[in-house]
């Protein structure tokens, strides 16, 4: 029977199909496993770092222990951490210099097992609120003193106690001509009055004597 399929041919066909399926399964499994290894290797390198106003903290984990890895940190282009080698992990906290403006911090990690695992990242360090800026060398300018007001030239309402020399009457010059003598109760008519009184007294005495004599004669 030329067109008939024997049992042996059927079994051979099935065997060939299983071999092909097994090969496909093996290739697919290898591909998935390879992708998983690659993803796992990529996720194993863990560069974690943080920047505050005072410090930089670095945490590098799960790097290759068989390769030479390096880490370097700069601040505004100057080395804060010169290139340093490490193996599987690296951890360090670096203190930032005092600053009154933001600083540019750069982290450079070179993985020895492939450039795809290296890192080159930049962050900004803010200014701390309690940071006191460095005092300037120039002394602060002192504001000019306010001018002291001068007293007004307007004359005061209160009269001055001082008397002008023009208002003082000149003192009387001493007289060289002898003046009248001071009155002492007597004057030039005093001798006349005294003489008249003496005459009256004498006249009165004469009258009294005459009167006595007349009386004596009458008796």
């Amino acid at each position: 029977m030329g067109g008939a399929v024997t049992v042996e041919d059927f079994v051979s066909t099935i065997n060939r199909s299983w071999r092909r399926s097994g090969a496909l399964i093996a290739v697919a499994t290898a591909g998935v496993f390879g992708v998983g290894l690659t993803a796992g290797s990529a996720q194993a390198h863990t560069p974690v770092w943080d920047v505050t106003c005072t410090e930089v903290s670095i945490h590098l984990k799960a790097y290759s222990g068989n390769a030479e890895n390096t880490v370097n940190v700069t601040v505004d282009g100057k080395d804060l951490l010169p290139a340093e080698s490490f193996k599987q992990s690296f951890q360090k906290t670096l203190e930032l210099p005092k600053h009154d403006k933001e600083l540019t911090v750069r982290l450079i990690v070179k993985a020895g097992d492939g450039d795809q695992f290296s890192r080159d990242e930049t962050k900004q360090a803010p200014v701390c609120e309690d940071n006191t800026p460095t005092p300037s060398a120039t002394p602060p300018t002192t504001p000019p003193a306010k001018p002291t007001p001068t007293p007004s030239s307007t004359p005061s309402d209160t009269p001055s106690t001082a008397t002008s020399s023009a208002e003082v009457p000149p003192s009387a010059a001493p007289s060289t001509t002898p003046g009248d003598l001071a009155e002492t109760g007597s004057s030039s008519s005093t001798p006349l009055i005294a003489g008249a009184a003496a005459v009256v007294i004498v006249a009165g005495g004469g009258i009294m004597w005459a009167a006595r004599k007349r009386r004596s004669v009458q008796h």
Side-chain angles (χ1 to χ4, degrees):
M1 296 181 171
V5 178
T6 62
V7 176
E8 292 179 355
D9 293 337
F10 181 73
V11 172
S12 298
T13 302
I14 293 175
N15 288 336
R16 284 196 296 269
S17 299
W18 278 107
R19 289 193 190 99
R20 289 175 184 172
S21 299
L24 291 175
I25 292 172
V27 170
T29 302
V32 171
F33 183 72
V35 171
L37 287 177
T38 304
S41 178
Q43 293 176 358
H45 297 72
T46 311
V48 178
W49 68 300
D50 189 34
V51 177
T52 66
C53 68
T54 58
E55 62 184 20
V56 180
S57 55
I58 307 169
H59 303 278
L60 308 177
K61 298 179 181 179
Y63 279 78
S64 173
N66 300 322
E68 190 74 14
N69 308 301
T70 60
V71 57
N72 174 227
V73 179
T74 64
V75 176
D76 286 348
K78 298 179 181 180
D79 281 339
L80 182 64
L81 174 67
E84 186 172 334
S85 300
F86 68 97
K87 291 295 184 180
Q88 293 181 342
S89 63
F90 179 88
Q91 296 186 18
K92 183 171 285 190
T93 299
L94 306 172
E95 184 177 356
L96 289 171
K98 290 185 178 181
H99 52 282
D100 55 3
K101 63 179 181 179
E102 286 191 348
L103 300 178
T104 301
V105 184
R106 182 182 180 188
L107 172 71
I108 303 173
V109 179
K110 292 184 178 180
D113 55 346
D115 289 340
Q116 68 272 24
F117 306 128
S118 299
R119 291 288 183 274
D120 189 344
E121 300 175 357
T122 300
K123 293 184 179 181
Q124 299 295 321
V127 178
C128 296
E129 293 183 359
D130 57 347
N131 247 9
T132 304
T134 305
S136 174
T138 305
T141 304
T142 304
K146 294 182 179 180
T148 304
T150 56
S152 175
S153 59
T154 305
S156 174
D157 295 338
T158 305
S160 174
T161 56
T163 305
S164 173
S165 59
E167 298 175 358
V168 178
S171 60
S175 176
T176 56
T177 303
D180 296 336
L181 297 176
E183 294 184 0
T184 59
S186 61
S187 64
S188 58
S189 61
T190 299
L192 298 176
I193 296 173
V199 171
V200 172
I201 292 172
V202 171
I207 292 172
M208 289 181 65
W209 179 82
R212 286 178 183 177
K213 187 147 179 151
R214 191 180 298 130
R215 285 192 201 104
S216 62
V217 171
Q218 288 178 358
H219 290 295

